[in-house]
Every structure is written in C-alpha cells, then in structure tokens.
Amino acid sequence: MQDQHARGGLSATALGVLCGIAASICWAIGFVAAKHGIAGGLTPPDLAFHRFVWTGILVIPLVARAGLSDLGGLGWFRGLIILLLAGPPQALLNYTGLTLAPLGHGAVIQPGSAALGGLLLAFLVLREPLTRARIIGVVAILLGLMVLAGEAIAAIRGGAISGDLMFCMAGLTWATFTICLRGWRTSGLLAAQVVGVLSLVIYVPVYSLVFGFEHMIAAGLTENLIQVVAQGGFAGLLALYLFARAVTALGAGRASMFPALVPPMTMLIGFLAIGEIPTIPQLVGLAIVVVGFRFALKP
C-alpha cells in the first residue's frame, strides 16, 4: 500500500514537473515574440489584446456551461483578483518593460522575482515548509540569475531602470497569483477560462476606447498572426493552464521555481529563432540555475 502511494506521488510529481517546464517554454516564446512585435510596431496594449482576447472567445462556451453567474463557482470577487494578478495588467507590466529595457532584463528579473516571491509567500501565507534543500535552490537560482543579469546591470541607465522595476512588479504579481491558486484550490483550467472571459468582457472596451487598433493594423497581418499564436496560444491560455497544473501537483512553493527556467529557455529560443549566440557568462548562469532548480524541487 505504501509503495502504491509512493508510485502515485512520483507520478503526480513527474506530471507537475513536465507541466512546469512546458509552461516555462511557453513564457519564453512569449518573451521573444513580444520583443519581435514591439520592433514590428505593436504596442504593449496590442500585445495584451492578442494574449487574452482570442483566448476569451474560445473559452466562453466552457465558462457558460460551468455557470457565468458565478464564474464556474470561483465567484466574481476572486475572478477579478485573478484577472488583475494574471491578466492584462500583469502582461502590460511585462510588455511595457520590454519597451524600456532589453529582452535579457525581462527574461531574468521577472522570473527571478516570481520565484523568490512565490517561495516566501508560500512559507508565510500557506505555511509550506522552507526546507534546507529549497533554500539552497533559491540561493543558487538567484546567483545564476545575477550572473545572467551581470552584463545587463552594467548597461542600466535612464528608462531601463523603470523597465526593470516593472519586470520586478510583474514577477511579484505572478507570485501572488500562484498563492491564490493554491490557497483557493482553483483548477488550472478554470483559472485560465476565467482570465480569458473577464479579459474579453473588461479589456476589449477599454482597449477600443483608450488605445484603438491603429498600431495593430499598421503592423500588418503576418506580425499580428505571430502574436496571436505566441501570446494567445503559448504565453496565454496554455502557459497559465500548465502552470496551474504544476501548482496543484507540486505545491505553490516548488511550482514558483519554474519561472526561473524562463531565462535559459529564452536564450535557447532566441538563438534558434533569431541567431543570438549566448555568451560565456550566460552559459555559466544557465548551469547554476539548473542546479538550483534541482534543489528547489526537492520536498
């Protein structure tokens, strides 16, 4: 009986790890595509539109079946909180940061803030144990992120500092979302559906009245289709659902470590997509992050 329980636990852990890694890859795709979109003339509100609105259209039937009156049992109050923490406001912080600071800043600072904030909030709010292995993992991850950020820190000036602060705020916001998911025992699928539908209901009127479609039209069909797939498909619904599954399987503390994989994933995708070759410090930082990740996943 004990062996069966252990095997079941191992299976759940493996599923959580795979979902967390896949979510990190989706976020990395979103980072690279967002920088590409900004260079192509899209604005942060345009990117947020692509990330959430198309998803909302797709999941309306699912939420309607579960009950629109109370958002499938989640409730409007909790739904609005999740919208603020993991919806357009959080995405706008990231995208606006990319207009002020280099891609490498966002790929390092936002996930690092999410990892550290998630672990500490899980310890303080949910009373998840802060084991020695997790502490070692956090220290190693932060050290690796510092190595990755070393070249960028030397170049910080002007608006880049504001961009870095936005990345930090986005990471802490995501960490709070992680704690809410775990504390409310909200399923990943429901969270993704609620964010999509509320974004469609609330963000579309705001976008239409305040920002308009001029930049989106000027960017052309190809660029917009890239963002529909990258932001709406990968970095939006799919990443949110996969990460929520990781939180359910592993706990908020350990799941909060997965955003720390975004920097190396971003480097890899950046190399494959646009031919950026990682530097020696970046490769050293990648190795340290992987070691820290291994410790952070230990019970």
Side-chain angles (χ1 to χ4, degrees), residues 10 39 50 59 86 91 127 130 146 151 164-165 168 171 190 196 200 205 210 215 219 223 227 237 254 262 264 284:
L10 179 62
H50 284 312
V59 301
R127 304 303 181 188
L130 194 61
M146 289 173 63
E151 295 170 310
D164 290 344
L165 290 175
C168 184
L190 178 60
L200 179 63
V210 177
H215 292 284
E223 185 62 51
Q227 301 306 324
L237 177 63
R254 288 195 288 171
V262 175
V284 172

Side-chain angles (χ1 to χ4, degrees), residues 121-192:
L121 286 174
F123 172 70
L124 295 173
V125 177
L126 302 181
R127 304 303 181 188
E128 290 191 4
L130 194 61
T131 63
R132 182 167 58 182
R134 294 186 188 180
I135 293 174
I136 294 174
V138 169
V139 172
I141 288 173
L142 290 178
L143 178 60
L145 295 179
M146 289 173 63
V147 172
L148 287 172
E151 295 170 310
I153 291 175
I156 288 179
R157 62 184 182 277
I161 298 177
S162 299
D164 290 344
L165 290 175
M166 290 184 178
F167 293 139
C168 184
M169 291 173 58
L172 295 176
T173 301
W174 188 265
T176 307
F177 164 69
T178 302
I179 300 305
C180 289
L181 276 184
R182 186 65 171 176
W184 296 339
R185 301 185 183 278
T186 301
S187 72
L189 181 58
L190 178 60

